[in-house]
């Protein structure tokens, strides 16, 4: 069974875990820029992170059999005040790199003015470069999640971004319907604070008509076997009797189409 992990921070993981993903059938992966840098950084640190991902992580994962693509975005937290524009100005250079196939993860956590401004700026860039988007939202248990999910969709609409090219990641059960109704792609994030592998499998099984709009990712990829999240979900779907061709629609065909690789 072919698996494309559609959102995984390989740069935060141990090499052995990447190898285990490959053993489990993960043949390709999307590594987005993180939505926050833990600390307060100057733009140079962000550019080094982008370069490390493109120059090293892509090759390192390839050495274990995982064909890796990259999303570039300016994180909403962790850049020193007044340095955001400098980061945005540098982004186009990186968006031209061969392995960069989307803008992301952009998005909102609390939907303040700064987050919305940064989201709009980067949607404009995705429009200019004709690229899809990975959109981050609050985790399912954060109290603002329903309101902010609506805000995310509203901003995408106001910026006239083609919604079938926007992946709304970090889906929990409580915002699933809003995401389906939006016309965006729903990213099922299997991670300790979002969905379990069994819950993700169940959502795929129960929503046959929407299956072209679902992709699956393991998000942080660490902690509690998180690197095997998508492998476990695919196993659960198979165990529940789904044919491999149907499973591969969400684990392979859809992410390849959404990221312009098919
Ligand atoms: Zn992420």
């Amino acid at each position: 069974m072919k698996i494309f992990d559609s959102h995984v921070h390989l740069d935060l993981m141990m090499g052995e875990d990447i190898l285990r993903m490959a053993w489990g059938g993960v043949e390709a992966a999307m590594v987005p820029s993180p939505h926050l840098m833990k600390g307060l950084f100057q733009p140079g640190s962000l550019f080094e992170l982008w370069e490390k991902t493109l120059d090293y992580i892509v090759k390192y994962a390839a050495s274990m059999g995982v064909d890796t693509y990259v999303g570039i975005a300016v994180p909403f937290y962790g850049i020193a005040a007044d340095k955001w524009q400098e980061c945005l100005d540098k982004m186009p250079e990186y968006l031209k790199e061969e392995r960069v196939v989307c803008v992301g993860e952009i998005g909102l956590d609390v939907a303040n003015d700064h987050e919305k401004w940064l989201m709009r700026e980067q949607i404009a860039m995705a429009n200019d470069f004709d690229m899809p988007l990975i959109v981050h939202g609050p985790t399912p248990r954060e109290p603002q999640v329903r309101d902010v999910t609506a805000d995310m969709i509203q901003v995408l609409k106001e910026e006239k971004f083609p919604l079938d090219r926007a992946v709304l990641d970090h889906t929990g059960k409580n915002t699933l319907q809003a995401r389906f109704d939006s016309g965006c792609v729903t990213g099922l994030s299997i991670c300790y604070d979002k969905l379990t592998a069994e819950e993700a499998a169940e959502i795929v099984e129960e929503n046959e008509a929407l299956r072209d709009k679902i992709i699956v990712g393991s998000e942080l990829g660490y902690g509690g076997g998180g690197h095997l999240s998508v492998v476990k979900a695919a196993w659960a779907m198979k165990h529940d009797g789904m044919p491999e061709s149907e499973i591969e629609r969400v684990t392979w065909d859809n992410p390849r189409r959404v990221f312009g690789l098919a």
Side-chain angles (χ1 to χ4, degrees):
M1 195 151 32
K2 290 169 87 72
I3 295 175
F4 189 125
D5 192 328
S6 66
H7 185 142
V8 58
H9 296 280
L10 292 180
D11 53 316
L12 302 175
M13 289 167 49
M14 306 294 286
E16 203 176 333
D17 286 346
I18 300 173
L19 191 55
R20 287 197 187 97
M21 289 170 71
W23 289 340
V26 177
E27 293 185 28
M30 163 57 67
V31 181
S33 290
H35 85 286
L36 82 95
M37 294 172 80
K38 289 179 180 167
L40 200 55
F41 294 94
Q42 295 297 313
S45 302
L46 176 63
F47 308 149
E48 277 177 32
L49 174 70
W50 289 342
E51 271 157 37
K52 174 189 152 194
T53 308
L54 284 163
D55 287 345
Y56 169 62
I57 298 293
V58 167
K59 295 184 182 79
Y60 184 55
S63 77
M64 300 188 191
V66 182
D67 188 24
T68 299
Y69 299 87
V70 176
I72 291 289
V74 177
F76 358 145
Y77 297 108
I79 302 291
D82 304 325
K83 299 291 173 124
W84 303 96
Q85 191 60 49
E86 188 179 334
C87 296
L88 289 171
D89 290 346
K90 195 83 172 169
M91 246 177 89
E93 266 179 49
Y94 288 89
L95 292 176
K96 289 176 195 152
E97 292 278 342
E98 189 212 337
R99 283 275 147 177
V100 177
V101 296
C102 73
V103 171
E105 52 194 284
I106 64 161
L108 304 174
D109 265 321
V110 293
N112 59 24
D113 288 346
H114 167 69
E115 286 182 356
K116 283 187 175 170
W117 168 76
L118 197 54
M119 183 173 174
R120 288 183 200 280
E121 291 285 321
Q122 297 188 87
I123 293 171
M125 232 176 283
N127 266 329
D128 285 350
F129 278 79
D130 193 23
M131 278 182 163
L133 284 172
I134 292 178
V135 186
H136 160 108
T139 55
R141 288 192 180 87
E142 288 174 63
Q144 76 279 18
V145 67
R146 289 171 198 271
D147 290 344
V148 172
T149 301
D151 287 338
M152 280 154 43
I153 296 163
Q154 183 63 25
V155 170
L156 288 165
K157 285 182 178 167
E158 285 171 8
E159 297 301 317
K160 300 190 169 31
F161 191 78
L163 297 176
D164 60 352
R165 301 192 75 197
V167 179
L168 301 185
D169 261 326
H170 306 167
T171 301
K173 284 178 167 177
N174 54 356
T175 55
L176 182 65
Q177 198 56 49
R179 289 156 191 265
F180 280 157
D181 293 345
S182 71
C184 296
V185 177
T186 295
L188 302 181
S189 304
I190 306 165
C191 190
Y192 66 90
D193 57 356
K194 298 176 189 79
L195 292 170
T196 66
E198 288 75 15
E199 285 170 339
E202 203 175 294
I203 290 168
V204 173
E205 289 161 18
E206 287 174 356
N207 291 282
E208 193 177 349
L210 291 161
R211 218 168 269 160
D212 276 339
K213 289 283 183 77
I214 299 175
I215 63 176
V216 193
S218 60
E219 244 293 80
L220 294 171
Y222 59 79
H227 54 288
L228 292 176
S229 292
V230 183
V231 174
K232 289 179 191 168
W235 174 88
M237 290 177 225
K238 190 172 179 186
H239 195 66
D240 289 344
M242 267 181 78
E244 276 193 21
S245 58
E246 279 299 294
I247 300 169
E248 283 182 354
R249 278 171 70 191
V250 296
T251 64
W252 187 258
D253 302 343
N254 294 346
R256 285 184 50 82
R257 187 188 69 248
V258 169
F259 295 126
L261 302 168

